[in-house]
Amino acid sequence: MEETKTKEQKTSWARLLKNYVNKNEAKHSQNSRDGDEIEIFTELYKKCKGLNGSHKIVPSLYSRVPTEEEPLLMKLREESRALFLQRRSRELLDNNELQKLWFLLDQHHTQPLQADEQMISYDDFLLVREEAGPKCKPFFQPSVFCKLLQNDPYGRISIMKFFNYVMRKIWLHQTRIGLSLYDVAGQGYLRESDLENYILELIPTLPQLNGLERSFYSFYVCTAVRKFFFFLDPLRSGKIRIQDILACSFLDDLLELRDEELSKEMQESNWFSAPSALRVYGQYLNLDKDRNGMLSKEELARYGTGTLTDVFLDRVFQECLTYEGEMDYKTYLDFVLAMENRREPQAQRYLFRILDVQHHGYLNVFSLNFFFRAIQEQMKIHGQEPIKFQDVKDEIFDMVKPKNPLKITLTDLIRSGKGDTVVSILIDLNDFWTYENREFLVPDLSDEV
């Protein structure tokens, strides 16, 4: 009986060992098949990509831009970019194709009308897509339909809104291609000289600028370009991304001058209009008393109401680019843009740099007192009782509510929404007086209304 038991144990061990061996063989076979598949895939991939087994051919992650010392490569790059832009331009819808698209939308609109406006359902939207042709297909995406979908009870979108969307998209692509032609570096941004060339060649196409004399063109171009660079290049890198130019409203304002019937009020509020450019340049000439084409500190002191403090003006000439202590027209334009747009973050960045006397990156009690003392002195000169600095300081910190109760950073100033008020009461007596008497001025204004 004991012998039988021993024999059974041996049989059991033999069975377990056999199962283990078979299992390992199956696993090895599977690994071998996986290895063969990877090897076949690698071989096919290399063949498709034109790679050999030496690993010397590595995909390039960086393409060096040709320098001026490589004229042939530069010319090749320019020609390649020009052909690429031409191809992209041909992919856009022309006037005939736009008319055909409108006809199809009108033909396949879905009843009933909504407030006399033609609507289209998603099924008809897809039907127009098939008939419109391959150029139109990128506009007929489900995501586009969803973006334009509003509160229609039948789940439709407005034909007019969709067509305007297509027109806007085409305009953006056309403008991007037009701007890219001036992108000499081909890196997706424009330098100051590139943008100057673009606007100079754009002037003849803008009817509202027909009255400008050719001798004024250079001053107009400088005036227009400064607004782009002041707001889109606050760090003064000397270049602006084409994408940022398209995203802002400045190009719309500039191209608005194509409208021959643009009202006088619209022109006066448009920085790029002829009246606005002539106004700014005329102010510069009026301030330039010695007619040397530059502004000294004494001449700039007459800017606006003539109540800017001497301390502030000193800091302007310390921080801004000057030539032998005098300011040229380009620097003056930055100054005007900052003063006329104090609510904008870029203007507050410009003025904060002037107020930051100690270059700490924040304003403290010393900085505030440094500028407000000049306001107190001007009040004495005009026979007014000076306001205590402690009161003004407390009010400024209450307005801004900085994270650090002893320091006001640029971020604090912008986030508070009161940056323009803080700056104004520190640099201009007239603005401080207006702020101090705001309770009395508001009722007067409401009475006039």
Side-chain angles (χ1 to χ4, degrees), residues 230-232 234 236 338 341 344-351 414:
F230 182 83
F231 285 100
L232 301 182
R236 304 295 182 262
N341 300 275
E344 301 299 326
Q346 295 88 343
Q348 291 178 27
R349 180 190 294 273
Y350 175 97
L351 295 167
I414 294 172

Side-chain angles (χ1 to χ4, degrees), residues 435-449:
Y435 174 77
E436 194 66 19
N437 295 277
R438 60 194 180 281
E439 292 87 356
F440 303 104
L441 293 174
V442 172
D444 293 341
L445 290 173
S446 61
D447 290 343
E448 290 176 10
V449 174

Side-chain angles (χ1 to χ4, degrees), residues 126-252:
L126 294 178
L127 185 61
V128 174
R129 174 188 175 182
E130 295 304 317
E131 295 185 22
K135 278 189 180 182
C136 294
K137 284 194 174 181
F139 302 111
F140 287 85
Q141 299 297 326
S143 57
V144 174
F145 190 90
C146 291
K147 285 178 185 175
L148 300 176
L149 190 62
Q150 293 182 336
N151 297 324
D152 181 70
Y154 302 100
R156 304 168 301 172
I157 63 172
S158 164
I159 286 178
M160 181 58 71
K161 288 181 179 178
F162 173 71
F163 191 73
N164 287 339
Y165 166 83
V166 173
M167 293 281 287
R168 177 69 179 174
K169 276 286 191 182
I170 292 172
W171 179 85
L172 283 172
H173 286 302
Q174 287 175 338
T175 308
R176 186 182 184 94
I177 291 170
L179 288 169
S180 297
L181 291 172
Y182 294 85
D183 176 14
V184 178
Q187 298 292 296
Y189 60 78
L190 297 183
R191 300 169 303 177
E192 195 166 341
S193 58
D194 300 332
L195 193 56
E196 286 174 352
N197 291 333
Y198 172 76
I199 293 178
L200 183 61
E201 295 184 18
L202 193 65
I203 291 176
T205 69
L206 305 175
Q208 289 295 338
L209 301 180
N210 288 342
L212 288 181
E213 297 181 6
R214 294 194 67 85
S215 59
F216 186 68
Y217 277 13
S218 60
F219 295 101
Y220 175 81
V221 169
C222 181
T223 305
V225 169
R226 281 326 299 163
K227 181 161 188 176
F228 282 96
F229 274 83
F230 182 83
F231 285 100
L232 301 182
D233 182 32
L235 298 180
R236 304 295 182 262
S237 64
K239 57 189 180 183
I240 307 174
R241 293 193 309 166
I242 292 176
Q243 185 177 346
D244 293 336
I245 296 175
L246 294 171
C248 74
S249 63
F250 300 156
L251 208 55
D252 290 333

Side-chain angles (χ1 to χ4, degrees), residues 385-404:
E385 184 68 26
I387 306 296
K388 291 181 180 180
F389 169 70
Q390 188 67 28
D391 296 337
V392 174
K393 184 261 294 183
D394 291 342
E395 194 159 353
I396 288 175
F397 274 89
D398 286 342
M399 278 194 290
V400 177
K401 296 180 176 60
K403 286 187 176 180
N404 187 322

